[in-house]
Amino acid sequence: MDKENGRLCACKLKAMKDAYEADGKNRIVRHAMSRTSILDLSYDSSSVRNVNPSFTNVVPTMAVANQKSSGRCWIFAGLNLLREVIAKKLKIKNFELSQNYISLFDKIEKANWILEAFIDLSERPHDDRLLDYILTAPLNDGGQWDMFVSLVKKYGIMPQSAFPETFQSNNTMELDQIVSVWLRRFAFEAHELRAAGEEKAIRPLKEKVMGTIYNAFMNAFGVPPETFDFEYTDEKDVYHVERGLTPNAFFDKHIGSKIDEYQSVINYPEDDRPFGRNFTVEYLGNVVGGKPINHLNLPMERLKELIVAQIKDGEPVWFGSDVSFFRDRNSYAWAASAVDYAALLGADVKFQKPAMLYYRASAMNHAMVITGVNLGKDGKPNRYKIENSWGSDKGLSGYYVMDEGFFDHFVYQAVILRKYLSKEEIAATEKEPVVLPLWDPMGTLA
């Protein structure tokens, strides 16, 4: 570090202050920012003139769900996808699957996954890069599609009425923080035991910690029923009931092998991440022995073709994107130009897509469902209808419109039925995947 030229000396500070005071706009911006959010101040209403909430192809879907103060978007999006499969089959007007049920076992399985990782890495020092990365956030709400598949295949699903939300499932931060400390303490104690030559004591310790964690989440999220009755009213207002179902029986009856027909497809535009190859991420997952992460990397134009094909056939699409900067919870329109940070603050926050990934300026941090697409005169998509999980009081009854610019720059993943993939693409998914390090951008949890 060049201390002489790099330090902010008095003359440099004075020059910046003089330039700041000479620009009259700064006074206006300063006053505005004192009582208004940056997003609202930067909003450009003219950018959404062409973001029309009408579409050439729409999949009829139900009312949106609400993940509230939790980061379970990937679970909500996954269950929203599955409930449409069930609703289409049974002609149900509206219902929800229990997000609490899947969330409960995700927490338990994820804690077990992390404890096993700490056992694997117990010989390493605390500042080893991989171990340190896991220690940073050992337990959180996030996940990826293949992690969702592992959960529903192991535990099944149930209607929300059979196992509704609790305060803790809607507000997960407190318990996540506490359990994360328990996990970190285990990592320390396992390391100490191994260093002392007492490896045999590690696994009994793990089982004790796992028991404590299991109890904590059962207390927080509730004890799910072993059996339940599925009651619903169809589109003709006729009542139906399926009695004495287990979660696995319900899943097998209404979803079954269809869950294995989905493939994660990513757009990772970087030279050392070739298109047409599949990738996995080391130490990323939740269910030990579950479905491995498998991403097929494809160009954005091909990703769009697959999405359009699926929507045209009446199948919604689970997808992952970045919603950090260019989304407005209140406006229905999400456009890449809707928020003009440069005009307000003097510089934009958007640059090249692959560079934003590598330099941690962007990440796949939110999962939703595409339920419609608008095709222009050229037959190509120019906007998308998005089902979110932020409640019905946002956007258009909880739905949003994403324009092409936003989609191209900030969408990283879509889950596509394998029947839409080419023979070459299917063959690529079946190869031994390239293993990416856990800190790779594609290891981000939505």
Side-chain angles (χ1 to χ4, degrees):
M1 185 176 291
D2 189 339
K3 294 182 180 179
E4 181 58 34
N5 293 318
R7 69 187 183 92
L8 285 174
C9 62
C11 59
K12 290 180 181 178
L13 289 169
K14 184 178 185 305
M16 286 191 290
K17 183 178 180 181
D18 290 345
Y20 171 82
E21 293 179 343
D23 186 348
K25 186 190 77 171
N26 284 322
R27 183 179 180 185
I28 299 171
V29 172
R30 183 173 72 247
H31 294 335
M33 289 179 68
S34 67
R35 290 194 173 185
T36 311
S37 77
I38 292 175
L39 184 71
D40 288 342
L41 288 173
S42 304
Y43 183 72
D44 181 1
S45 61
S46 67
S47 66
V48 300
R49 290 172 183 167
N50 296 320
V51 188
N52 195 298
S54 57
F55 308 89
T56 58
N57 301 85
V58 175
V59 181
T61 49
M62 292 177 276
V64 301
N66 192 343
Q67 68 188 77
K68 297 190 177 179
S69 297
S70 73
R72 300 172 293 159
C73 58
W74 60 290
I75 291 175
F76 274 70
L79 293 177
N80 286 342
L81 188 72
L82 296 189
R83 71 169 173 162
E84 296 299 341
V85 174
I86 298 170
K88 187 176 182 180
K89 176 182 176 182
L90 301 178
K91 297 180 172 53
I92 301 176
K93 291 189 296 185
N94 193 44
F95 84 111
E96 288 187 44
L97 293 168
S98 175
Q99 302 92 356
N100 188 22
Y101 178 69
I102 298 300
S103 301
L104 167 64
F105 287 106
D106 173 59
K107 294 296 188 184
I108 292 169
E109 289 282 358
K110 201 176 282 176
N112 183 65
W113 177 281
I114 295 299
L115 290 171
E116 287 296 313
F118 286 153
I119 292 175
D120 286 350
L121 304 173
S122 58
E123 289 185 355
R124 304 192 186 191
H126 67 86
D127 56 357
D128 170 80
R129 184 175 185 184
L130 177 58
L131 179 58
D132 180 69
Y133 190 87
I134 299 174
L135 286 168
T136 301
L139 187 74
N140 56 53
D141 289 351
Q144 291 197 2
W145 171 258
D146 289 325
M147 295 165 65
F148 174 77
V149 173
S150 293
L151 290 167
V152 297
K153 288 186 71 172
K154 182 171 182 177
Y155 292 100
I157 54 178
M158 63 176 65
Q160 190 188 66
S161 57
F163 194 55
E165 295 285 290
T166 70
F167 176 86
Q168 295 296 336
S169 67
N170 282 323
N171 300 270
T172 54
M173 186 175 68
E174 277 187 313
L175 191 52
D176 280 355
Q177 289 179 330
I178 292 169
V179 175
S180 290
V181 173
W182 293 347
L183 293 170
R184 293 180 180 115
R185 179 175 179 174
F186 172 81
F188 159 70
E189 292 178 345
H191 178 76
E192 293 292 295
L193 287 169
R194 189 170 294 277
E198 299 180 27
E199 293 90 344
K200 291 183 179 180
I202 294 177
R203 191 149 295 279
L205 175 63
K206 183 250 181 173
E207 300 307 324
K208 179 181 178 182
V209 174
M210 194 64 236
T212 301
I213 292 172
Y214 181 92
N215 293 346
F217 281 114
M218 283 289 173
N219 287 334
F221 288 26
V223 179
E226 293 183 3
T227 63
F228 57 88
D229 295 340
F230 179 41
E231 301 178 77
Y232 65 93
T233 302
D234 66 22
E235 59 188 14
K236 295 182 180 180
D237 291 326
V238 177
Y239 170 84
H240 301 264
V241 60
E242 298 176 7
R243 299 193 184 280
L245 294 169
T246 66
N248 292 99
F250 183 60
F251 175 82
D252 292 341
K253 181 177 182 179
H254 295 297
I255 301 297
S257 61
K258 185 178 177 73
I259 198 70
D260 296 316
E261 298 173 14
Y262 292 97
Q263 171 65 42
S264 169
V265 177
I266 59 173
N267 176 241
Y268 198 171
E270 188 57 41
D271 291 341
D272 61 352
R273 305 287 188 264
F275 292 133
R277 280 297 274 124
N278 63 327
F279 296 85
T280 192
V281 182
E282 67 170 344
Y283 281 99
L284 181 64
N286 53 354
V287 178
V288 174
K291 188 178 189 298
I293 302 297
N294 191 314
H295 298 312
L296 175 63
N297 194 22
L298 293 177
M300 179 55 80
E301 290 307 308
R302 179 57 179 156
L303 185 68
K304 291 180 183 178
E305 288 176 2
L306 294 168
I307 290 171
V308 169
Q310 191 157 311
I311 292 293
K312 280 185 173 181
D313 280 355
E315 298 271 5
V317 178
W318 187 105
F319 80 111
S321 70
D322 181 359
V323 297
S324 301
F325 297 107
F326 293 91
R327 61 88 184 95
D328 186 342
R329 283 179 178 263
N330 298 310
S331 170
Y332 72 85
W334 288 356
S337 58
V339 185
D340 191 355
Y341 291 105
L344 180 74
L345 301 174
D348 200 357
V349 298
K350 185 176 67 173
F351 51 102
Q352 292 87 346
K353 186 174 184 177
M356 288 192 75
L357 282 171
Y358 271 131
Y359 284 88
R360 307 294 178 182
S362 181
M364 186 187 74
N365 51 36
H366 191 52
M368 298 171 284
V369 179
I370 301 171
T371 64
V373 62
N374 188 72
L375 304 180
K377 293 180 180 179
D378 58 359
K380 294 183 178 181
N382 52 33
R383 59 180 179 267
Y384 304 82
K385 183 178 181 181
I386 307 300
E387 179 184 1
N388 207 340
S389 54
W390 291 344
S392 59
D393 59 333
K394 304 291 192 299
L396 293 174
S397 299
Y399 284 81
Y400 294 81
V401 183
M402 184 179 290
D403 82 345
E404 184 178 22
F406 191 114
F407 191 95
D408 287 349
H409 209 91
F410 294 110
V411 168
Y412 297 109
Q413 180 186 18
V415 174
I416 301 296
L417 287 164
R418 291 172 66 84
K419 66 181 181 180
Y420 299 110
L421 301 178
S422 68
K423 291 182 179 179
E424 293 77 14
E425 290 165 346
I426 291 174
T429 68
E430 296 169 349
K431 292 181 179 178
E432 189 68 25
V434 176
V435 180
L436 303 174
L438 184 57
W439 49 83
D440 186 90
M442 284 304 112
T444 303
L445 300 179

